[in-house]
Amino acid sequence: MLAAMSAAPPAQADVVAYLVNVTVRPGYNFANAEQALAYGNGICDKIRSARGYGQLITETKGDFNTGDDYQASYLIAQAANELCPDLIWQLRNSAAGYRPAPAQ
């Protein structure tokens, strides 16, 4: 059983899934697929450089001029899940204990 688990292939990026999920969802308004992909890869770079989840949320909300934590977290999750799945645990660990700011 252990041999079967250790032989599992590493997670692979799925650019098409990322693009579908973030370009058909309202609110991001990327000019084109290249811009959407560049933004997602930028999120991966930030996760890779140990940027904390709270800071990622704040920056993403600022980039899209929204106060909606869910909109920001959706985009961050899509980037991690589809473009850099090897960083999911790092992102999850940085999100431990995160609480959104109360609505004003």
Side-chain angles (χ1 to χ4, degrees), residues 33-96:
E34 290 79 20
Q35 185 186 53
L37 189 56
Y39 193 87
N41 284 323
I43 290 173
C44 290
D45 290 342
K46 291 175 182 181
I47 297 168
R48 195 172 286 108
S49 70
R51 186 97 33 113
Y53 185 76
Q55 188 174 356
L56 286 169
I57 290 287
T58 300
E59 291 172 359
T60 304
K61 288 182 352 183
D63 290 345
F64 292 94
N65 196 29
T66 183
D68 186 351
D69 273 38
Y70 180 76
Q71 183 179 7
S73 67
Y74 180 85
L75 184 56
I76 293 165
Q78 288 302 309
N81 289 330
E82 305 301 349
L83 299 179
C84 50
D86 57 314
L87 299 175
I88 290 171
W89 281 109
Q90 183 174 331
L91 178 64
R92 286 181 181 169
N93 287 337
S94 76

Side-chain angles (χ1 to χ4, degrees), residues 16-26 28-30 32-33 36-37:
V16 173
Y18 169 78
L19 289 172
V20 168
N21 291 332
V22 303
T23 58
V24 298
R25 181 174 171 77
Y28 303 119
N29 302 318
F30 292 111
N32 54 45
L37 189 56

